[in-house]
Amino acid sequence: MLKYITIIGSGAIGSLWAYYLQQAGFIVTVVGRQCHNNPIELTVILPNQQQKKITLNYLNQQLPSHSDLVIVATKAYQVSAAISPWLTQLIQTPIMLMHNGMGCVEQLPLNKIQPILLATTSHGGLKTSISGLSHTGVGQTFIGVYQGMAQEQGQLICQALNRALPQVAFSASIAKTLWTKLAINCAINPLTALAQCRNGELIGHQHQQVINDVHQEVILVATALNIGLDDKILRENINDVIHKTANNYSSMHQDIVNKRLTEIDFITGYLIKQAEKLAIAVPTNQRLYQQIKQLETKIPSQ
Ligand code: PAF
């Protein structure tokens, strides 16, 4: 039975899950780099603008003595450092990676028996302060098994999380789900960061050609990898997310504005790496990648 859930990462997505899981009756601990070892009262603004208060347990870079599930909800570039030191200790504990982009799981020194789930969520969250969180957009979460556990066990975890923050759906082809999200992020994130605009402004005529080119390049690479993405459905998915998150600033836009590293290496950078292995040209994604990398050079070292 799933009761004790540890969340590594105290940013917007980690805090969002911590809030909803604790409200649903799970015993939650949040582990973070900037956390102190004591409870913090979190004020949460829900999508209907209701304000809720909750007291969450935090630990500074140490795990509680027992976890039935560990959710890693850090930025993509922090995943490896955040979970690798704990892998031997957690050899039988399911670990779920929930981040933007792809490629993190391949960086982990995994034992084959380590149960790993991959997840992607489209919920929008904004951490307004150490104790302030806003649930800015209701989304969906998809979970799939990567290794070390039966699909049925993955489905049970999925059902438990669905009680806390629906909709959580189990994906039998998580690679396809992650590639769809990768394509959405390749289209929205660099463009909004460069144009310094909300997602909705991408509906404008001047961005359509670039979005089409990004989309076509993703399709070329995904097709060569047999991911099974449908050209037309993917374009609809991209447009759908742009419309549904029209008022939001993308995570990459927020990273650049707040002078933080972006997840470009795990989004566009991941696509480019796969394309290079297959000798497929992805010039539009290359250009966007270089432009974001150029912006990152202006960020003081972290
Ligand atoms: O990274 C983000 O901001 C989000 O994944 C998305 C879907 C682009 C919406 O803003």
Side-chain angles (χ1 to χ4, degrees):
M1 213 187 70
L2 209 60
K3 189 169 174 194
Y4 294 91
I5 302 186
T6 299
I7 298 177
I8 302 183
S10 56
I13 294 299
S15 303
L16 205 63
W17 276 99
Y19 168 75
Y20 284 100
L21 286 165
Q22 187 159 306
Q23 291 291 82
F26 296 97
I27 298 174
V28 177
T29 306
V30 181
V31 176
R33 270 185 311 164
Q34 281 128 9
C35 299
H36 299 287
N37 291 337
N38 39 33
I40 294 180
E41 188 175 82
L42 193 68
T43 304
V44 186
I45 312 286
L46 299 179
N48 62 7
Q49 299 309 312
Q50 247 191 314
Q51 189 172 308
K52 296 274 180 189
K53 286 197 188 296
I54 191 171
T55 302
L56 285 170
N57 286 323
Y58 286 86
L59 283 178
N60 185 354
Q61 297 190 79
Q62 72 189 76
L63 293 187
S65 55
H66 176 77
S67 312
D68 296 316
L69 171 69
V70 174
I71 301 177
V72 184
T74 62
K75 288 281 186 185
Y77 53 79
Q78 295 165 330
V79 169
S80 181
I83 192 66
S84 295
W86 309 111
L87 286 173
T88 43
Q89 183 180 323
L90 295 171
I91 193 73
Q92 285 175 339
T93 308
I95 297 173
M96 180 185 293
L97 307 185
M98 189 185 283
H99 57 80
N100 263 345
M102 291 179 75
C104 295
V105 71
E106 289 94 326
Q107 293 183 339
L108 301 181
L110 288 180
N111 186 308
K112 276 198 199 102
I113 63 164
Q114 173 72 59
I116 298 278
L117 295 144
L118 301 180
T120 177
T121 187
S122 56
H123 283 281
L126 192 64
K127 201 76 193 288
T128 47
S129 69
I130 183 110
S131 57
L133 171 72
S134 184
H135 186 181
T136 50
V138 178
Q140 260 185 307
T141 303
F142 290 95
I143 294 175
V145 172
Y146 177 72
Q147 67 158 44
M149 70 198 298
Q151 301 283 325
E152 293 71 23
Q153 202 191 342
Q155 276 165 348
L156 288 178
I157 292 177
C158 178
Q159 281 160 19
L161 297 196
N162 191 50
R163 289 206 304 275
L165 181 52
Q167 292 280 320
V168 184
F170 187 76
S171 173
S173 53
I174 190 69
K176 186 173 169 184
T177 310
L178 293 176
W179 268 87
T180 302
K181 182 72 187 324
L182 186 81
I184 292 168
N185 286 132
C186 283
I188 298 178
N189 293 35
L191 271 177
T192 48
L194 292 165
Q196 297 185 14
C197 66
R198 291 178 198 263
N199 295 352
E201 286 171 54
L202 298 184
I203 297 164
H205 179 69
Q206 73 273 30
H207 298 295
Q208 288 307 303
Q209 187 58 50
V210 183
I211 295 177
N212 279 343
D213 293 345
V214 167
H215 161 233
Q216 284 310 326
E217 291 176 9
V218 176
I219 285 287
L220 278 180
V221 179
T223 305
L225 291 171
N226 276 323
I227 302 295
L229 289 188
D230 180 273
D231 192 346
K232 195 160 159 273
I233 295 176
L234 185 64
R235 191 66 175 93
E236 280 165 16
N237 288 156
I238 294 172
N239 283 347
D240 195 43
V241 173
I242 292 176
H243 280 90
K244 282 194 178 138
T245 63
N247 281 327
N248 291 8
Y249 287 110
S250 77
S251 55
M252 199 170 286
H253 175 280
Q254 291 176 46
D255 287 338
I256 292 291
V257 167
N258 292 305
K259 302 204 178 335
R260 291 187 301 245
L261 268 185
T262 74
E263 295 174 300
I264 193 76
D265 283 319
F266 296 85
I267 297 175
T268 314
Y270 180 82
L271 177 86
I272 293 171
K273 263 193 220 140
Q274 306 311 307
E276 274 167 4
K277 283 189 214 155
L278 296 156
I280 294 174
V282 287
T284 304
N285 281 287
Q286 281 277 10
R287 182 172 50 79
L288 293 172
Y289 178 81
Q290 294 305 342
Q291 286 174 315
I292 295 293
K293 280 296 191 194
Q294 182 59 33
L295 286 184
E296 278 190 349
T297 58
K298 296 185 188 131
I299 295 168
S301 53
Q302 317 267 310

